[in-house]
Amino acid sequence: MEMKFTGKRLLCGLGLLACGALSASAFAQSNEYRRGYDQGYRDGIEAQSRQGPQHERQQHERQGERGERIRIEEARYGTRDNFCDATETVQRAVGWRRHATIVATNELCGDPVVGRSKQLRVVYRCGDDPVSRVQAGEGAAVTISCR
């Protein structure tokens, strides 16, 4: 079988090769951009963890939010008999604020009872005040506040 290359076919072939080269270049640039973005995100998280809660408290004090922070005594997510400990996750979410809203979801500490409705129960304290308790069903939010 004999193939003849006419001017149109040759131009079309060269055009396809050029488009392929351009798309490969754009793909390489987008991968490089993504790697840079991911590295910047990791660097930011690392820098934040090095600063720790002391930095966060100082920052809030500079903004006039003085006073005792919310201390989470206990946070349980699940049913009465099957639950996971969400204390650390809730305390991190609250930070040094005096008012916070936390949504009761499996992202707090996993799904301790698949297929059953769960509740978030939080016991917290503001400074030396007596403990306060709040709870909310799965998907709802609890409001934790120190006045």
Side-chain angles (χ1 to χ4, degrees):
M1 179 169 159
E2 187 178 322
M3 234 179 174
K4 291 186 181 180
F5 289 102
T6 62
K8 272 188 176 178
R9 282 191 179 174
L10 187 57
L11 284 177
C12 284
L14 289 174
L16 286 174
L17 285 173
C19 286
L22 288 175
S23 67
S25 173
F27 180 74
Q29 287 175 349
S30 65
N31 276 343
E32 187 61 31
Y33 173 82
R34 182 66 188 176
R35 278 193 294 277
Y37 178 87
D38 290 344
Q39 184 61 49
Y41 180 80
R42 285 190 299 270
D43 291 348
I45 294 296
E46 184 180 323
Q48 181 182 11
S49 69
R50 280 194 306 265
Q51 291 175 342
Q54 178 70 17
H55 173 75
E56 187 177 338
R57 182 176 57 78
Q58 290 169 348
Q59 187 177 20
H60 286 293
E61 286 177 355
R62 281 193 299 272
Q63 295 170 358
E65 295 181 17
R66 299 188 188 281
E68 294 294 327
R69 73 176 186 142
I70 298 169
R71 285 193 337 258
I72 305 300
E73 302 283 326
E74 180 180 70
R76 291 181 173 187
Y77 176 70
T79 63
R80 187 174 305 278
D81 300 323
N82 296 306
F83 55 86
C84 56
D85 184 2
T87 305
E88 187 177 317
T89 304
V90 173
Q91 184 65 69
R92 264 196 322 268
V94 169
W96 280 92
R97 291 178 287 165
R98 301 202 59 199
H99 181 83
T101 301
I102 309 294
V103 179
T105 68
N106 293 337
E107 293 174 8
L108 291 170
C109 58
D111 190 347
V113 188
V114 178
R116 294 196 43 205
S117 66
K118 292 161 269 302
Q119 287 211 336
L120 172 63
R121 292 179 174 87
V122 180
V123 178
Y124 69 96
R125 183 183 304 270
C126 298
D128 294 329
D129 292 349
V131 296
S132 297
R133 299 172 192 277
V134 292
Q135 67 180 32
E138 186 173 7
V142 295
T143 298
I144 301 169
S145 183
C146 292
R147 294 186 193 352

